[in-house]
Amino acid sequence: MTNRQIDNRIKKLQELERQRKEIEQKENELKAEIKRDLESKDIEELQTGNFIVRRKTIISNSLDSKALKTAFPELCEQFTKPTKSKRFTIA
């Protein structure tokens, strides 16, 4: 590809990213509106004509790696492995 072709693709990519962000913002606004309605009604589930909307409390347990590193640094180092990845950026 020529530099001009890459520039054009980057411009198209930036426009798509802008549109995606705009759509995500609208999506989040609609979700927040529905969540507020459920909260104001103090319910976790609502059945409409076509949909069932749920907002349930989920409890999950996760490892506190910072506390584990503080309490057992040697153990953490023993079971820590490096990962390799590549990052794609456009500036």
Side-chain angles (χ1 to χ4, degrees), residues 60-79:
S60 60
N61 296 313
S62 60
L63 181 66
D64 184 350
S65 60
K66 189 174 182 179
L68 186 62
K69 285 178 185 177
T70 302
F72 303 101
E74 302 86 18
L75 186 63
C76 282
E77 189 171 325
Q78 182 180 351
F79 289 97

Side-chain angles (χ1 to χ4, degrees), residues 9-23:
R9 282 172 174 75
I10 290 171
K11 287 177 185 176
K12 287 178 186 178
L13 179 62
Q14 288 174 332
E15 176 60 20
L16 289 171
E17 287 175 347
R18 185 196 63 75
Q19 291 174 2
R20 180 184 47 80
K21 287 178 184 178
E22 187 177 305
I23 289 170

Side-chain angles (χ1 to χ4, degrees), residues 8 32 67:
N8 286 334

